[in-house]
Amino acid sequence: MSINAENITHDSVAAGAAVPEATPEEAAALEVLYQDFESENLIPLWTQIADLMPMVPTPKAVPHVWRWDTLLPLAERSGDLVPVGRGGERRAIALANPGLGGKPYVTPTLWAAIQYLGGHETAPEHRHSQNAFRFVVEGEGVWTVVNGDPVRMSRGDFLLTPGWNFHGHHNETDQPMAWLDGLDIPFVHYTDTAFFEFGTERVTDESTPDISRSERLWANPGLRPLSGLQNTISSPIGAYRWEHTDRALTEQLRLEDEGHPATVSQGHAAVRFVNPTTGGDVMSTIRAQFHRLRAGASTDTVREVGSSVYQVFEGRGSIVINGETNVLEKGDLIVVPSWAAWSLHAETEFDLFQFGDHPIIERLNLNRSYTEGRATS
Amino acid sequence: MSINAENITHDSVAAGAAVPEATPEEAAALEVLYQDFESENLIPLWTQIADLMPMVPTPKAVPHVWRWDTLLPLAERSGDLVPVGRGGERRAIALANPGLGGKPYVTPTLWAAIQYLGGHETAPEHRHSQNAFRFVVEGEGVWTVVNGDPVRMSRGDFLLTPGWNFHGHHNETDQPMAWLDGLDIPFVHYTDTAFFEFGTERVTDESTPDISRSERLWANPGLRPLSGLQNTISSPIGAYRWEHTDRALTEQLRLEDEGHPATVSQGHAAVRFVNPTTGGDVMSTIRAQFHRLRAGASTDTVREVGSSVYQVFEGRGSIVINGETNVLEKGDLIVVPSWAAWSLHAETEFDLFQFGDHPIIERLNLNRSYTEGRATS
Amino acid sequence: MSINAENITHDSVAAGAAVPEATPEEAAALEVLYQDFESENLIPLWTQIADLMPMVPTPKAVPHVWRWDTLLPLAERSGDLVPVGRGGERRAIALANPGLGGKPYVTPTLWAAIQYLGGHETAPEHRHSQNAFRFVVEGEGVWTVVNGDPVRMSRGDFLLTPGWNFHGHHNETDQPMAWLDGLDIPFVHYTDTAFFEFGTERVTDESTPDISRSERLWANPGLRPLSGLQNTISSPIGAYRWEHTDRALTEQLRLEDEGHPATVSQGHAAVRFVNPTTGGDVMSTIRAQFHRLRAGASTDTVREVGSSVYQVFEGRGSIVINGETNVLEKGDLIVVPSWAAWSLHAETEFDLFQFGDHPIIERLNLNRSYTEGRATS
Amino acid sequence: MSINAENITHDSVAAGAAVPEATPEEAAALEVLYQDFESENLIPLWTQIADLMPMVPTPKAVPHVWRWDTLLPLAERSGDLVPVGRGGERRAIALANPGLGGKPYVTPTLWAAIQYLGGHETAPEHRHSQNAFRFVVEGEGVWTVVNGDPVRMSRGDFLLTPGWNFHGHHNETDQPMAWLDGLDIPFVHYTDTAFFEFGTERVTDESTPDISRSERLWANPGLRPLSGLQNTISSPIGAYRWEHTDRALTEQLRLEDEGHPATVSQGHAAVRFVNPTTGGDVMSTIRAQFHRLRAGASTDTVREVGSSVYQVFEGRGSIVINGETNVLEKGDLIVVPSWAAWSLHAETEFDLFQFGDHPIIERLNLNRSYTEGRATS
């Protein structure tokens, strides 16, 4: 693809081209034609093409930062004022991308929210076709019960609730807990594929095991139970524990130190959370990854089709997006729209959780990326 | 899935549930909280869930019929008033679903348009990431040139222009020609994956062969060239000819007459246009099929996730959508939104071309369907 | 891979290495050890490795030519002396590779035979897990009935009987007919996967249609019946007709003449027979292809893992195998063992049918090839 | 499949059928014909079909037990008499199935051997297209170096050397060590796909880390390095540690105790070793699994296509094969040929390692199984 084609646009070419100097009679006839189009539910391409078919993606979504220091107090105030229960279902507060016209969408396809559950509260069970995950930047004490399997939620854990699994949450402590929810609500809404069903008012299993049944059966490296030889659409692992993620990242950087290939680029360790039955993404519509940069490390500047959200887990650094630097600290969230040029820079060791809509893009063969100073792909 | 869960909705359950009787102080505090949410680009789930996460899909798109007898004269008037050329690119008039707020989208994901090319006109070459096809309900005389391969367009033919292939059209006759264009413009726009590049002003090969090079190489049943062993994302066949489609449908009905399994249901022959390198859909985002019903035949009433457009190719019949009967004749187009209950009924032998977004739905595992009187799947 | 490693072999390295100068006591102890091995059903690697694990494949199968002029008279004599019927099942005479110790195997994995059916004879129905095909180098008048579907056999046709389909043949004429049978009998025997079942004494449908039901339903280019959306292990097409194969090869050469990519190499047109539900090989264990070389054309010299059989369909030319030239004429059969260096040379226009075991090799990731003068892959 | 078809065989049907009462002249002519066949390298089907195409698999391989108590002393005697080094390459003693005519094959497709390495010995590096694994029933102190990555070998570990990876072993202790080697030597030999290359005389990395680099990068449950997004033919994990296998089996039985689905059948926990990039078998030709039966538990009696070898890791029990009971203790090995009827019975808690050729069978769609008292599949 010749990126420089951006220079030539519909507008530059089309200026006066589509409908050249018309006589007054022609102009009048054209106006009547456009009225007739409208009354027949028709719209001509030639007046729309510049917006509809741009030279490169022109997302309405914009880069934006939400600060954890702002989010958490607002969630706490919600905890005081808004009960959690049947109907509203969850005390979740969505990040609304300022470019998306007041919709509770962080990108056109993705939902991101801070969810807050007070001490001894329960969020009732339900299920829906939307895929969901939780990521815990701090705190503990809540169990999410997924299809009857109680899953402990603790700092650094990545937890799955794939589509059409019943789930509810309950807080076993006196302390509130807040975490990040990610879902494909906008995409499922857009494609008119949403189904929803209410479940029980309380969770179906109130026990609080340290490790879920899904992990006991599935989170053994390279070992597949013979009772589970059928591949599953979503990962059967309910919780990806921080202990394992941290160890994997630590080992990648150690291997790099020892001179072996292991990191994705110099000083940049990264893992993808995957479905062990296929080696692919955990859910059909959402990719989740974890990054660790050494203090001082930077990534290349990249453009890629698809949108992402990052949350800082630990450390301090920045993302430069389209030339603008955004300094980020623990808990801060930032959205990177499609085809924005971005790079990561670590001041201290810098740990970031990332999720994005790339499985949608890739499964439909719409993926494309561009690294500054390299050939496109 | 228990369809009857439709009875219970967020609204019925949530009536007053999310935020019960508040004191004046609480109500005031809540109002401040909501203002703070807004200034921080946050939106609570509990006020949005009924719309965002409905019990079953609630498409904004509505069923709607466009009559060929109306479309064609409007296209002809465009031919008199609007030139075709660089900038506007194509004289295409899009079907705008009345439910989609004045956007030129026939469904949330799909574009359908009538394109019109006067005698001896040329639509200049360009390429884009959007996938496109043409279907010819009547007429002939235009060649579409796809990546330098001239493809004749004639009645009944289904023609492909997969994403990022250069293409232009030229009319070799004195007569105008009109056809149906189908693209994934809304989906590509929505996912921010659009790229576009201008090509030459005239088509790169003005020859007018009866059969394209792509057909000569690829349209041989069960025979794959050894020069083409790598699978391709989209079908390498540029034209699916009416002669073959008609024969396939005719044979299915004859086999049914002879007592052998061949039709999709009694009196209903149907084929899917496929990529011969994989046996799957012709393009990643668009499914295309052709149906023939015997005079008097009907299909079951079905709901399915995903949206479709039908165009009558020949004959007379009707589609009943959500209980409402739409009589259809040659050239008429109708859109069936996601999860609408629909059935086909043939008065005469009834031939219909269909396209839809089902590959999107299926590749992301969001597919679900329901046949009246049978179990769901 | 470094082909030159062939210079160093087990033998050259091992000469005296494995068991160096032993004292008489050690030699005696070793002899006792070897006896004890034998009585315990044990065999040491170090005495076997040169044969078991050679530097490059060292097939026992050898290149060999069978002349049609020899085969056909022998088949005719069998027709006079040996009845066809239940028990012997088929009047088939297998090509026995001279290197394979008197087994009726043309290669270690494949069976090739000339089958002969006299006027008005019937070969009774049976089914087996072995995959089978027929290729007709001359003649007509027989129908093979596959799972109840009568399939006409004519010159140039490639016909399928995938594993576990009932099938029988009957000759409707006064004239005998002979054809090539290809099966995976040796492989199925070797892997202990053979099942067999007798069917009816006569074919279950004695009608003689010009075209089978399988072709009517499936041999439409790029068109898949909606009643057949489930992929099948083997191709659902019962007959690949010469008319289509000839046309595909003709068009490839014409496209080459016109300056377009189409042939596999200069002057060499070729198609693979494929399963339209997947685009892959017609059966899990057997690849079938058809080649046409222009008069005077040659192919590169290639080594590839996997074994093949070629039958000349028309014309005159040669295959050079491991430096030895084999002149071939219509009907002649030649076997190319694994890793032999071979090339084709056409004196006249030269049409060859080929089948091989490459799907076995590729599905198990054992494939490797080497073209003289190019890098290996 | 109708298993009862076994009653009718080629022999019973064919008795006298193929060539009925012949006149003396016919008999003489037939004899001449058969001589002519032989001189032309031809063999008729009708004299071979009963052996070639049996009603059900009739393996030449037989069930057989090798006792660890016998194997180990023989390996020790080899250690005294036979040096290990270039040429012989490995001090490996193969289990030769008594039915396979004196070949060092445990089944037609598989090789199983006890390998023995004395204190401070080194087995030099080489690579070959054959896939290999090691399983350690007792002992420790050896490191196998696979493509430069040192992998510790300890009791219970399952270790991989996929095709074409350089590998050598060295013993860092004063004590000898013995283990089970499994390879696809017979299959690679049979298909003429063997390549071999010598490497260095000593291992390329003599360090003795507790955990290999492959494990540090890949043995993290559900976590895939971003530097390893390309799927690999074989598993990138060099060692599957006993600690993980034991825990997975323990948890399956605990989950069963708690009333949850987890085991493959009552009292029978089992895991398959898999490639984390695909969720499929560790190598293209070899399946490896581990079984644990509770004391007193039994499995159903099953026939399945494909051959297996079991080695007892711990405990005491038996396998009944074709009605004959084989009592097994720690280290004992037993081979189960294709389509044999077998069941496991645990006297104490009973741990077994298993490997087989099922990926070959399944990838070629030749799989079939039959459980007594259930329907076939």
Side-chain angles (χ1 to χ4, degrees):
Chain A
M1 177 235 161
S2 53
I3 290 292
N4 297 335
E6 293 183 40
N7 309 345
I8 309 173
T9 66
H10 290 289
D11 293 335
S12 66
V13 168
V19 185
E21 308 126 45
T23 65
E25 292 75 16
E26 285 169 347
L30 200 60
E31 189 161 322
V32 174
L33 178 65
Y34 284 0
Q35 285 166 7
D36 289 349
F37 280 166
E38 196 174 342
S39 67
E40 294 295 342
N41 292 297
L42 297 169
I43 300 177
L45 172 63
W46 56 87
T47 63
Q48 308 283 324
I49 189 169
D51 173 54
L52 278 182
M53 303 181 82
M55 308 312 281
V56 297
T58 54
K60 296 208 182 72
V62 295
H64 189 77
V65 178
W66 290 262
R67 301 285 170 200
W68 192 244
D69 285 352
T70 307
L71 288 174
L72 194 57
L74 285 165
E76 286 165 351
R77 285 165 57 194
S78 305
D80 294 338
L81 293 168
V82 182
V84 69
R86 181 59 77 225
E89 300 292 309
R90 299 292 183 260
R91 195 188 288 110
I93 308 161
L95 313 191
N97 192 298
L100 292 177
K103 297 251 181 186
Y105 300 167
V106 71
T107 80
T109 51
L110 296 172
W111 163 281
I114 177 169
Q115 186 169 159
Y116 184 88
L117 201 60
H120 301 292
E121 282 188 334
T122 292
E125 292 206 347
H126 61 212
R127 66 176 175 177
H128 41 68
S129 42
Q130 290 87 356
N131 291 296
F133 72 81
R134 333 276 161 212
F135 176 71
V136 183
V137 75
E138 63 179 23
E140 61 185 353
V142 169
W143 270 254
T144 179
V145 182
V146 180
N147 266 346
D149 185 14
V151 185
R152 173 178 54 87
M153 297 176 67
S154 301
R155 170 160 159 82
D157 295 343
F158 169 70
L159 309 130
L160 287 191
T161 315
W164 217 238
N165 285 278
F166 275 115
H167 58 284
H169 323 302
H170 65 118
N171 187 335
E172 282 302 291
T173 72
D174 297 330
Q175 301 302 318
M177 184 176 170
W179 62 84
L180 174 68
D181 274 354
L183 290 94
D184 53 10
I185 291 176
F187 185 77
V188 167
H189 192 255
Y190 164 75
T191 50
D192 292 322
T193 53
F195 293 84
F196 189 98
E197 214 171 83
F198 293 109
T200 59
E201 290 295 315
R202 297 195 63 78
V203 294
T204 46
D205 186 334
E206 298 198 333
S207 67
T208 58
D210 198 47
I211 183 171
S212 66
R213 298 198 302 266
S214 76
E215 293 162 83
R216 293 162 66 191
L217 197 52
W218 281 101
N220 302 299
L223 300 176
R224 187 166 182 165
L226 253 62
S227 57
L229 295 180
Q230 200 80 24
N231 286 0
T232 53
I233 289 171
S234 305
S235 173
I237 301 178
Y240 293 73
R241 297 296 175 191
W242 174 241
E243 167 197 359
H244 298 139
T245 305
D246 182 40
R247 187 178 62 204
L249 297 168
T250 300
E251 289 293 356
Q252 285 189 16
L253 291 174
R254 280 186 189 153
L255 285 163
E256 186 184 86
D257 280 336
E258 298 166 22
H260 298 294
T263 52
V264 64
S265 66
Q266 184 62 32
H268 178 193
V271 290
R272 181 173 295 172
F273 299 99
V274 295
N275 176 347
T277 74
T278 63
D281 285 296
V282 282
M283 299 185 295
S284 300
T285 51
I286 300 178
R287 173 161 299 164
Q289 303 186 140
F290 206 103
H291 302 264
R292 173 171 293 169
L293 273 76
R294 291 179 196 276
S298 288
T299 67
D300 282 340
T301 298
V302 172
R303 290 179 193 271
E304 56 191 343
V305 157
S307 55
S308 275
V309 174
Y310 288 84
Q311 182 172 34
V312 177
F313 181 67
E314 193 64 72
R316 182 184 160 89
S318 60
I319 301 193
V320 179
I321 305 182
N322 292 335
E324 190 165 328
T325 299
N326 303 274
V327 175
L328 299 174
E329 296 193 332
K330 182 174 163 180
D332 292 351
L333 291 135
I334 187 160
V335 52
V336 181
S338 184
W339 210 239
W342 64 275
S343 59
L344 291 169
H345 307 271
E347 196 171 319
T348 66
E349 184 170 271
F350 197 32
D351 276 8
L352 298 108
F353 171 77
Q354 175 203 5
F355 72 103
D357 63 0
H358 303 86
I360 297 173
I361 305 297
E362 291 180 7
R363 289 181 186 206
L364 301 171
N365 303 112
L366 294 164
N367 47 311
R368 200 186 271 216
S369 69
Y370 172 76
T371 302
E372 272 189 19
R374 297 198 211 153
T376 48
S377 67
Chain B
M1 153 230 180
S2 54
I3 291 292
N4 297 334
E6 294 182 39
N7 309 343
I8 309 173
T9 67
H10 291 291
D11 294 334
S12 66
V13 167
V19 186
E21 308 126 47
T23 64
E25 292 75 18
E26 284 168 347
L30 200 60
E31 189 160 322
V32 175
L33 178 65
Y34 284 0
Q35 286 165 7
D36 290 348
F37 281 166
E38 195 173 344
S39 66
E40 295 294 342
N41 291 297
L42 298 170
I43 301 176
L45 173 63
W46 56 87
T47 63
Q48 307 283 325
I49 189 168
D51 173 55
L52 279 182
M53 303 181 83
M55 309 312 281
V56 296
T58 55
K60 296 206 182 74
V62 295
H64 189 78
V65 178
W66 289 262
R67 299 289 169 196
W68 192 245
D69 285 351
T70 308
L71 287 175
L72 195 56
L74 284 165
E76 287 165 351
R77 285 166 58 194
S78 306
D80 294 337
L81 293 167
V82 183
V84 69
R86 179 61 75 226
E89 300 293 307
R90 299 291 183 261
R91 195 187 288 109
I93 308 160
L95 313 191
N97 192 299
L100 292 177
K103 297 251 180 188
Y105 300 166
V106 71
T107 81
T109 51
L110 296 171
W111 164 279
I114 177 169
Q115 185 168 160
Y116 184 89
L117 201 60
H120 301 291
E121 283 189 333
T122 293
E125 293 206 346
H126 60 213
R127 65 176 176 178
H128 41 67
S129 41
Q130 290 86 357
N131 291 295
F133 72 82
R134 333 276 160 210
F135 177 72
V136 184
V137 76
E138 64 180 22
E140 61 186 350
V142 169
W143 269 254
T144 179
V145 182
V146 181
N147 265 347
D149 185 14
V151 186
R152 174 178 54 87
M153 297 177 67
S154 301
R155 171 162 160 80
D157 295 343
F158 170 69
L159 310 128
L160 287 192
T161 315
W164 216 238
N165 286 278
F166 275 115
H167 57 284
H169 323 303
H170 66 117
N171 187 335
E172 282 301 291
T173 72
D174 297 330
Q175 300 304 317
M177 184 176 169
W179 62 84
L180 173 66
D181 276 354
L183 291 93
D184 53 10
I185 291 176
F187 185 76
V188 167
H189 191 257
Y190 163 76
T191 51
D192 292 321
T193 54
F195 293 84
F196 190 98
E197 215 171 82
F198 292 110
T200 59
E201 289 295 314
R202 295 195 64 76
V203 294
T204 46
D205 185 334
E206 296 198 334
S207 66
T208 56
D210 199 49
I211 182 171
S212 66
R213 299 199 301 267
S214 75
E215 292 162 84
R216 293 161 66 191
L217 197 53
W218 280 102
N220 302 298
L223 300 176
R224 187 166 183 167
L226 253 62
S227 56
L229 294 180
Q230 201 79 24
N231 286 0
T232 53
I233 288 171
S234 304
S235 174
I237 301 178
Y240 293 73
R241 297 296 175 190
W242 173 241
E243 167 197 358
H244 299 138
T245 305
D246 182 39
R247 187 179 61 205
L249 298 167
T250 300
E251 290 293 357
Q252 285 188 18
L253 291 174
R254 280 187 189 152
L255 285 163
E256 185 184 89
D257 280 337
E258 298 166 21
H260 299 294
T263 52
V264 64
S265 67
Q266 184 63 30
H268 178 193
V271 291
R272 180 173 297 173
F273 300 98
V274 295
N275 176 347
T277 75
T278 62
D281 284 296
V282 282
M283 300 185 293
S284 301
T285 52
I286 301 179
R287 173 162 299 162
Q289 303 186 143
F290 206 103
H291 302 265
R292 174 171 293 168
L293 274 76
R294 291 180 197 276
S298 290
T299 67
D300 281 340
T301 298
V302 172
R303 290 180 193 270
E304 55 190 343
V305 156
S307 55
S308 276
V309 174
Y310 288 83
Q311 182 172 34
V312 177
F313 181 68
E314 195 63 73
R316 182 183 159 89
S318 59
I319 300 192
V320 178
I321 305 182
N322 293 336
E324 190 165 327
T325 299
N326 303 273
V327 175
L328 298 173
E329 295 193 334
K330 181 175 163 181
D332 291 351
L333 291 134
I334 188 160
V335 52
V336 182
S338 185
W339 210 239
W342 64 275
S343 59
L344 291 169
H345 307 272
E347 196 170 320
T348 65
E349 185 172 89
F350 197 31
D351 277 7
L352 299 108
F353 171 77
Q354 176 203 5
F355 72 103
D357 63 1
H358 304 86
I360 297 173
I361 305 299
E362 290 179 8
R363 289 180 187 207
L364 301 171
N365 302 112
L366 294 164
N367 48 311
R368 198 186 274 215
S369 69
Y370 172 76
T371 302
E372 271 189 20
R374 296 198 211 154
T376 49
S377 68
Chain C
M1 147 233 177
S2 53
I3 291 291
N4 298 333
E6 294 182 40
N7 309 344
I8 309 173
T9 66
H10 290 290
D11 293 335
S12 67
V13 167
V19 185
E21 308 126 47
T23 65
E25 291 76 17
E26 284 168 347
L30 201 60
E31 189 161 322
V32 174
L33 179 65
Y34 285 178
Q35 285 164 6
D36 289 349
F37 281 165
E38 195 174 343
S39 67
E40 294 295 341
N41 292 296
L42 297 170
I43 300 176
L45 172 64
W46 56 87
T47 63
Q48 309 282 324
I49 189 168
D51 173 55
L52 279 182
M53 304 181 84
M55 308 313 281
V56 296
T58 53
K60 296 208 181 75
V62 295
H64 189 78
V65 179
W66 289 262
R67 301 287 169 198
W68 191 245
D69 285 352
T70 308
L71 287 175
L72 194 58
L74 284 165
E76 286 165 350
R77 285 166 57 195
S78 305
D80 293 337
L81 292 168
V82 183
V84 69
R86 183 59 78 226
E89 300 293 307
R90 299 292 183 260
R91 195 189 289 110
I93 308 160
L95 313 191
N97 192 298
L100 292 177
K103 295 252 179 186
Y105 302 166
V106 71
T107 81
T109 51
L110 295 173
W111 163 280
I114 178 170
Q115 186 170 159
Y116 185 89
L117 201 60
H120 302 290
E121 283 189 332
T122 293
E125 293 205 347
H126 61 213
R127 64 176 177 178
H128 41 67
S129 42
Q130 290 87 355
N131 291 295
F133 73 82
R134 333 276 161 211
F135 177 71
V136 183
V137 77
E138 64 180 23
E140 61 186 352
V142 169
W143 270 254
T144 178
V145 181
V146 181
N147 266 348
D149 185 13
V151 185
R152 173 178 54 87
M153 297 177 66
S154 300
R155 170 161 160 81
D157 295 344
F158 169 69
L159 309 129
L160 288 191
T161 316
W164 216 238
N165 286 277
F166 275 114
H167 57 284
H169 323 303
H170 65 118
N171 187 336
E172 281 301 291
T173 73
D174 298 330
Q175 301 302 317
M177 183 176 170
W179 62 83
L180 173 67
D181 276 353
L183 291 92
D184 53 10
I185 290 176
F187 185 77
V188 167
H189 192 256
Y190 163 75
T191 51
D192 292 321
T193 55
F195 292 84
F196 190 99
E197 214 170 84
F198 293 110
T200 59
E201 290 294 316
R202 296 195 64 76
V203 295
T204 46
D205 186 334
E206 298 197 333
S207 66
T208 57
D210 199 48
I211 182 170
S212 66
R213 299 198 302 266
S214 75
E215 293 162 82
R216 293 162 65 191
L217 196 53
W218 280 101
N220 301 298
L223 300 176
R224 188 165 181 167
L226 253 63
S227 56
L229 294 180
Q230 201 78 27
N231 287 0
T232 53
I233 288 171
S234 304
S235 174
I237 301 179
Y240 294 73
R241 296 297 174 188
W242 173 241
E243 167 196 359
H244 299 137
T245 304
D246 182 39
R247 188 179 62 205
L249 297 168
T250 300
E251 290 292 357
Q252 285 188 17
L253 291 174
R254 282 185 188 153
L255 285 163
E256 186 184 85
D257 280 336
E258 298 166 20
H260 298 294
T263 52
V264 65
S265 66
Q266 185 63 32
H268 178 193
V271 291
R272 181 173 295 172
F273 299 98
V274 296
N275 176 347
T277 75
T278 63
D281 283 297
V282 282
M283 299 185 295
S284 301
T285 51
I286 300 178
R287 173 161 299 162
Q289 303 186 141
F290 206 102
H291 302 265
R292 172 171 295 169
L293 273 77
R294 290 180 197 276
S298 288
T299 67
D300 282 341
T301 298
V302 172
R303 290 180 192 271
E304 57 192 343
V305 157
S307 54
S308 276
V309 174
Y310 288 84
Q311 183 172 34
V312 177
F313 181 66
E314 194 64 73
R316 181 184 160 89
S318 59
I319 301 193
V320 179
I321 306 182
N322 292 336
E324 190 165 327
T325 299
N326 304 274
V327 175
L328 299 173
E329 296 194 333
K330 182 173 162 181
D332 291 350
L333 291 134
I334 188 159
V335 53
V336 181
S338 185
W339 209 239
W342 64 276
S343 59
L344 291 170
H345 306 271
E347 194 171 322
T348 66
E349 185 170 90
F350 197 31
D351 276 9
L352 298 108
F353 171 77
Q354 175 202 5
F355 72 103
D357 63 0
H358 303 86
I360 297 173
I361 305 297
E362 291 180 7
R363 290 181 185 206
L364 301 171
N365 302 111
L366 293 165
N367 48 312
R368 198 186 272 217
S369 68
Y370 172 76
T371 302
E372 272 189 21
R374 297 197 211 154
T376 48
S377 68
Chain D
M1 167 236 165
S2 53
I3 291 292
N4 297 335
E6 293 183 40
N7 309 344
I8 308 173
T9 66
H10 292 290
D11 293 336
S12 66
V13 167
V19 187
E21 308 126 45
T23 65
E25 292 74 18
E26 285 168 346
L30 201 59
E31 190 160 322
V32 175
L33 178 65
Y34 285 178
Q35 286 164 6
D36 290 347
F37 281 165
E38 195 173 344
S39 67
E40 294 294 340
N41 291 298
L42 298 169
I43 302 176
L45 173 63
W46 55 88
T47 63
Q48 308 282 325
I49 189 168
D51 172 55
L52 279 182
M53 304 182 84
M55 309 313 281
V56 297
T58 54
K60 298 207 181 73
V62 295
H64 189 77
V65 179
W66 289 262
R67 299 288 169 198
W68 192 243
D69 286 351
T70 308
L71 288 175
L72 195 57
L74 284 165
E76 287 165 349
R77 285 166 57 194
S78 305
D80 294 338
L81 292 168
V82 182
V84 70
R86 181 61 76 224
E89 299 293 308
R90 299 290 184 262
R91 195 188 287 109
I93 308 159
L95 313 191
N97 192 298
L100 292 177
K103 297 251 179 186
Y105 301 167
V106 71
T107 81
T109 51
L110 296 172
W111 163 280
I114 179 171
Q115 186 170 160
Y116 184 89
L117 201 60
H120 301 291
E121 283 188 332
T122 293
E125 293 205 348
H126 61 214
R127 65 177 176 177
H128 41 67
S129 41
Q130 290 86 356
N131 292 295
F133 72 82
R134 333 273 161 214
F135 178 71
V136 183
V137 76
E138 64 180 20
E140 62 186 351
V142 169
W143 269 254
T144 179
V145 181
V146 180
N147 265 347
D149 186 13
V151 185
R152 173 178 53 88
M153 297 178 66
S154 301
R155 170 161 160 81
D157 295 344
F158 170 69
L159 310 128
L160 287 191
T161 315
W164 216 238
N165 286 277
F166 275 116
H167 58 283
H169 323 303
H170 65 118
N171 187 337
E172 282 300 292
T173 72
D174 298 330
Q175 301 303 318
M177 183 176 170
W179 62 84
L180 173 66
D181 275 353
L183 291 93
D184 53 11
I185 290 176
F187 185 76
V188 168
H189 192 257
Y190 163 75
T191 51
D192 292 321
T193 54
F195 293 84
F196 190 98
E197 216 170 81
F198 292 110
T200 60
E201 290 295 316
R202 297 194 63 76
V203 294
T204 46
D205 185 335
E206 297 198 334
S207 67
T208 57
D210 198 47
I211 183 171
S212 66
R213 299 198 302 266
S214 75
E215 293 162 83
R216 293 161 67 192
L217 197 53
W218 280 101
N220 302 298
L223 300 176
R224 187 166 182 167
L226 253 61
S227 56
L229 294 180
Q230 201 78 26
N231 286 1
T232 53
I233 288 171
S234 304
S235 174
I237 301 179
Y240 293 73
R241 297 294 176 191
W242 173 241
E243 166 197 0
H244 299 137
T245 305
D246 182 39
R247 186 178 63 205
L249 297 168
T250 300
E251 289 293 355
Q252 285 188 17
L253 291 174
R254 281 187 188 151
L255 285 163
E256 185 184 89
D257 280 337
E258 298 166 21
H260 298 294
T263 51
V264 65
S265 67
Q266 185 64 31
H268 177 194
V271 290
R272 181 173 296 174
F273 299 98
V274 295
N275 176 346
T277 76
T278 62
D281 284 297
V282 282
M283 299 185 294
S284 300
T285 52
I286 300 178
R287 173 161 299 163
Q289 303 187 141
F290 206 102
H291 302 263
R292 173 172 293 168
L293 273 77
R294 291 179 197 277
S298 289
T299 68
D300 281 340
T301 298
V302 172
R303 291 180 192 270
E304 56 192 343
V305 157
S307 55
S308 277
V309 175
Y310 289 83
Q311 183 173 32
V312 177
F313 180 68
E314 195 63 72
R316 182 185 161 86
S318 59
I319 301 192
V320 178
I321 305 181
N322 293 336
E324 190 165 327
T325 300
N326 304 273
V327 175
L328 299 173
E329 297 194 332
K330 182 174 163 181
D332 291 350
L333 291 134
I334 188 160
V335 52
V336 181
S338 184
W339 210 240
W342 64 276
S343 60
L344 291 169
H345 306 271
E347 195 170 321
T348 66
E349 185 171 87
F350 197 31
D351 276 8
L352 299 109
F353 171 77
Q354 176 203 3
F355 72 103
D357 63 1
H358 303 85
I360 297 173
I361 306 298
E362 291 180 9
R363 289 180 186 209
L364 302 172
N365 302 113
L366 294 164
N367 47 311
R368 198 186 274 215
S369 69
Y370 172 76
T371 302
E372 270 188 22
R374 296 198 212 155
T376 49
S377 69

